[in-house]
Each structure stands twice: as structure tokens, then as C-alpha cells.
Amino acid sequence: MVIDAAMLFALGAAFSYACADMSLRYGLLHTTPFVGSTVGRTFSVLILATVVLISGATFPLPGVHYLWVLLGGVLNPGLFAVFFMFGISKIGVSRAAPIKGSSPLIAAFLAIVFLGERPGLVQLAGVVLVVSGVGLISSGRTEGRWRRIHALWPIAAAVVAGTGAIFWRKGLSAFPDPVAGSLVGMSAALTTVTLYSVLFERDQIVDGFRTAWRPFLLGGIAGAAGNFSYASALKGGEVFRMVSLIQTSPLITVVFAFVLLRKVEKITWRVPAGAVLTVSGAVLVNFRL
């Protein structure tokens, strides 16, 4: 296992995103995914902007790198947050979180094609475990109020997350301070979800903020920390390694769900077992012989 600063940032992002997942789950009891994402991203942008001002972080000169980071932010955490929160509302966080953890599949494939990264056989075995974990979580009887088709929401989140990682990687190399790149990308994400909320759910924004600002504030803080760690990890490490490590967050989320959401979600043996397979695959992806 390769242990470096990028790996530590990736693990920090995994923990932060797991905390954000749980906060958003509570917030979604009071409002819609789009409004919730708008409120959460607003807090994240304000926090990152404050950090930039206090730290004196610098921005690079204008160039195509801004476009790459903006596109990365629109996809992840912009559309990713929306799709994932729809998934949470449909099938529960303990199922949605491990399924969206399949994003390393997309990220690894795109990194091979567009960035020239070359994972070995051990890393490919890890990919197989990730797929197996997702399949286990999605199989079995669909007891309760969710249907298998609802798993398409976290799958869509995985696709945009994996694609977004490529754009982030291409643009972040020009940013001397990862927090500056994080602010640019998060601002693009906020613009994405705010546009939809204003156009289609305008009447729910005020009520959503009033009734659920506390969990979304916590989610925004965790999201800002996670996005900074995410950017720092991608700036310093290969995409297929970093995205796989970041997606160990489902195991943390499942532990949180067992402890905090026993009365809210029904968790069968398939969920933690699938999460373990997914995370084991993520670990193998990061092995180097």
C-alpha cells in the first residue's frame, strides 16, 4: 500500500463525505434534494471563501484550467449531490452510499483513456470487488418502499463523480493552492443546483432553509472539508487511486447508519456485506507491487 500525503487527503475526504451524508439524510426529512443541495452548497462556498480570505490563497492567471475545474464542479459535487440525495430519499443512505461508491470504475476507465494511468492486475481485481459489492447491495428482495429502479439515482451519481474527477485532475495542476481550486469548483456546483431550485422549486427554498438549516450547515461544513481534501488528493495522486480511496466513505456511512438510523432505515445483511466488498476493492486498487 502506498502511503503519502495524497492518500491521507483522500481518507480525510472519505470521512468528511460520510459525515456530510448523514447530515444530509436528516435534512432531507424537511425539504427536497434540490433545495437541500442548494442550502448545503451555499454553506460550503461561504466556508471555503472565508478560508481563502484568511489564508491568503492565490489563484492562477486566466486559462483553460479554470474551465476544467468549473466543469468538474458542475459534475461533482454539483450534479453528484443532486443525484445522490435523490438516491438517499428513494432507497436510504445505507444503500445509496455504497452504490455511488462504484464511481472508481468510471474514474479508472477514464483515467486510463484520457490521462494515461495504468493500473495493474491487483488494481483490476479491486475493480471486480467493487462491482461485486454494488451487485450484492442491489440484489435480493426489494422490501419496504423502494424499488430497484431507484438505484439508478446513486448510479448516476457515480457516473458524474467519476467523470468529474478527470476534469478536476486536469485543472488542479495549475492551482498553487488547492483551496482556491475548491472554491472555484464548489461555486460552479452551487450555481448548478441553485439554477434548478430557483426555476422549479422557488417556493420551497425559504421553508427548506428555515426548517433544515442546522443539518445542512453541518453538511456544508463537512462538504467544504471534504471538497478541499478531495482537491488536494487529486492534485497529488493518480485518479484511480484517489477516487477509490475517497469511496471508502460508504463503510463509514454504514457504521453511522447502524448506530443512528436504526428506526429510520431497514438495514439487511446485504448492505454491510456489500459495503465491505466495495471498500475491499477500493483497498486493492491502491496496492502497488
Side-chain angles (χ1 to χ4, degrees):
M1 176 73 74
V2 178
I3 300 177
D4 50 25
M7 176 180 177
L8 296 178
F9 275 121
L11 292 174
F15 181 80
S16 297
Y17 286 150
C19 293
D21 289 348
M22 299 307 298
S23 298
L24 294 176
R25 178 64 179 89
Y26 283 110
L28 285 174
L29 297 175
H30 305 284
T31 189
T32 68
F34 277 100
V35 172
S37 184
T38 300
V39 177
R41 293 318 117 201
T42 298
F43 283 126
S44 293
V45 167
L46 291 175
I47 292 166
L48 288 171
T50 301
V51 173
V52 167
L53 289 174
I54 293 175
S55 65
T58 58
F59 291 83
L61 294 174
V64 70
H65 41 272
Y66 279 97
L67 175 61
W68 295 130
V69 173
L70 286 170
L71 287 174
V74 167
L75 293 176
N76 184 27
L79 293 177
F80 166 79
V82 173
F83 293 155
F84 182 43
M85 283 196 288
F86 266 120
I88 290 175
S89 66
K90 294 293 186 180
I91 67 176
V93 68
S94 59
R95 295 185 183 93
I99 291 175
K100 61 91 176 174
S102 63
S103 62
L105 294 171
I106 295 94
F109 173 76
L110 294 177
I112 291 171
V113 174
F114 294 106
L115 300 180
E117 296 183 2
R118 291 292 179 265
L121 292 177
V122 173
Q123 288 79 24
L124 293 177
V127 170
V128 172
L129 281 181
V130 171
V131 175
S132 299
V134 173
L136 181 60
I137 293 165
S138 303
S139 65
R141 297 178 58 188
T142 56
E143 299 176 355
R145 295 177 293 177
W146 75 284
R147 299 163 55 196
R148 285 195 182 93
I149 194 172
H150 293 155
L152 290 176
W153 288 112
I155 290 173
V159 172
V160 297
T163 307
I166 303 302
F167 292 130
W168 276 100
R169 173 67 171 173
K170 286 179 69 67
L172 282 171
S173 59
F175 283 79
D177 298 303
V179 68
S182 298
L183 178 59
V184 173
M186 187 66 79
S187 297
L190 174 61
T191 301
T192 302
V193 295
T194 299
L195 181 61
Y196 183 93
S197 296
V198 170
L199 290 176
F200 300 103
E201 300 187 1
R202 184 184 312 165
D203 57 335
Q204 301 186 56
I205 294 177
V206 175
D207 287 340
F209 185 87
R210 178 178 54 83
T211 59
W213 70 269
R214 290 181 180 85
F216 285 123
L217 172 60
L218 295 176
I221 294 172
N227 195 250
F228 167 73
S229 299
Y230 174 88
S232 300
L234 287 179
K235 182 177 173 65
E238 300 98 324
V239 168
F240 79 90
R241 286 183 59 225
M242 296 301 102
V243 174
S244 299
L245 273 180
I246 290 167
Q247 289 306 327
T248 60
S249 61
L251 186 57
I252 304 171
T253 302
V254 168
V255 172
F256 285 166
F258 267 122
V259 175
L260 301 175
L261 297 179
R262 286 180 179 273
K263 296 182 180 180
V264 178
E265 298 189 7
K266 183 175 181 179
I267 302 175
T268 68
W269 68 270
R270 295 178 184 273
V271 176
V276 169
L277 282 177
T278 302
V279 172
S280 298
V283 172
L284 279 182
V285 167
N286 286 274
F287 264 94
R288 285 182 176 176
L289 300 176

